[in-house]
Amino acid sequence: MAQFGIAMTAEDAYATEGARGIDTIRMMVKKQQGRDISLEEAQQMYDVKTRLFHEMPDAHIFYGLKSLMRRIQRCGMAIGVVTGSGQRPLINRLMKDFGSFLNEEHIVTAYDVSKGKPNPDPYLIEMQKTGTQPWETVVVENAPLGVRAAVAAQCLTIAVNSGPLSDRQLLDEGADLLYPSIYSLYRDWESIF
């Protein structure tokens, strides 16, 4: 973002995580530069971000995530992913790392929705893909916009605070439960379900 004259902190990144990348870019430009940019200009900025993102080393997998996914599968639940990203390399990485838990048809990306998080649309589409209803759906989210979207979709929403934001920011968006880590959720999963 600095290449385009935009200051974006880690807190800004977590606060907007889950939104479509072009929507975050447009919002940050409007907020800091006072101008509206076209989708094409936002996409050009997003393309730079994507290139830089893929030059970085692979991110680590949250400790306990695969164990949690095994527990979810043992409950007979389908696992889906709802991401504000539309990057094919991310989808490839999800399938490489979690292919035994995921069906690619159960991944909702920025290209599946016209309105991303905090709107409920991404979760509503995920429920269509998995054939579930809100009362049958559990969302695990780590960002305020995602929590707000899941709550708006009327799903049970479990927040995991994986970043620099306060617990209060996730709870204020309506999370039903809050955990400090994926591992702590993994430990409690069987007592919840």
Side-chain angles (χ1 to χ4, degrees):
M1 297 300 280
Q3 291 182 26
F4 299 97
I6 302 294
M8 189 164 188
T9 66
E11 289 80 9
D12 292 330
Y14 273 89
T16 59
E17 185 178 358
R20 294 185 323 158
I22 57 173
D23 293 338
T24 298
I25 290 167
R26 293 178 87 192
M27 183 268 303
M28 294 296 287
V29 169
K30 178 71 171 174
K31 181 177 168 183
Q32 293 185 23
Q33 297 178 352
R35 62 187 183 96
D36 292 311
I37 61 172
S38 68
L39 286 173
E40 292 77 20
E41 187 176 352
Q43 184 64 53
Q44 289 172 351
M45 294 169 75
Y46 186 75
D47 291 345
V48 172
K49 179 255 183 199
T50 299
R51 182 181 50 77
L52 294 170
F53 183 80
H54 292 294
E55 291 174 1
M56 298 175 67
D58 284 346
H60 72 280
I61 297 171
F62 285 122
Y63 179 69
L65 183 56
K66 287 187 176 182
S67 297
L68 174 62
M69 292 173 103
R70 276 191 281 284
R71 283 201 168 157
I72 292 169
Q73 273 190 333
R74 281 200 304 266
C75 289
M77 301 170 93
I79 297 173
V81 172
V82 174
T83 176
S85 175
Q87 300 175 37
R88 186 69 218 173
L90 172 66
I91 307 309
N92 293 343
R93 170 93 193 268
L94 287 170
M95 294 311 298
K96 178 177 78 79
D97 291 343
F98 307 110
S100 60
F101 305 105
L102 285 177
N103 174 331
E104 191 165 346
E105 285 87 47
H106 293 173
I107 299 174
V108 173
T109 73
Y111 298 119
D112 293 312
V113 296
S114 59
K115 294 187 295 186
K117 300 172 190 176
N119 297 289
D121 303 35
Y123 286 111
L124 297 173
I125 290 171
E126 182 63 47
M127 286 185 275
Q128 288 174 356
K129 287 184 172 202
T130 56
T132 58
Q133 298 296 320
W135 60 86
E136 301 171 306
T137 303
V138 178
V139 173
V140 178
E141 258 294 349
N142 69 331
L145 296 182
V147 170
R148 191 182 321 160
V151 169
Q154 301 180 330
C155 303
L156 175 66
T157 306
I158 301 173
V160 175
N161 195 343
S162 64
L165 302 178
S166 70
D167 289 349
R168 177 65 24 217
Q169 288 174 277
L170 296 167
L171 291 170
D172 285 350
E173 295 295 346
D176 297 297
L177 299 169
L178 174 73
Y179 284 88
S181 68
I182 287 289
Y183 183 72
S184 61
L185 174 56
Y186 156 74
R187 285 193 335 251
D188 273 7
W189 186 265
E190 290 179 343
S191 65
I192 298 169
F193 298 98

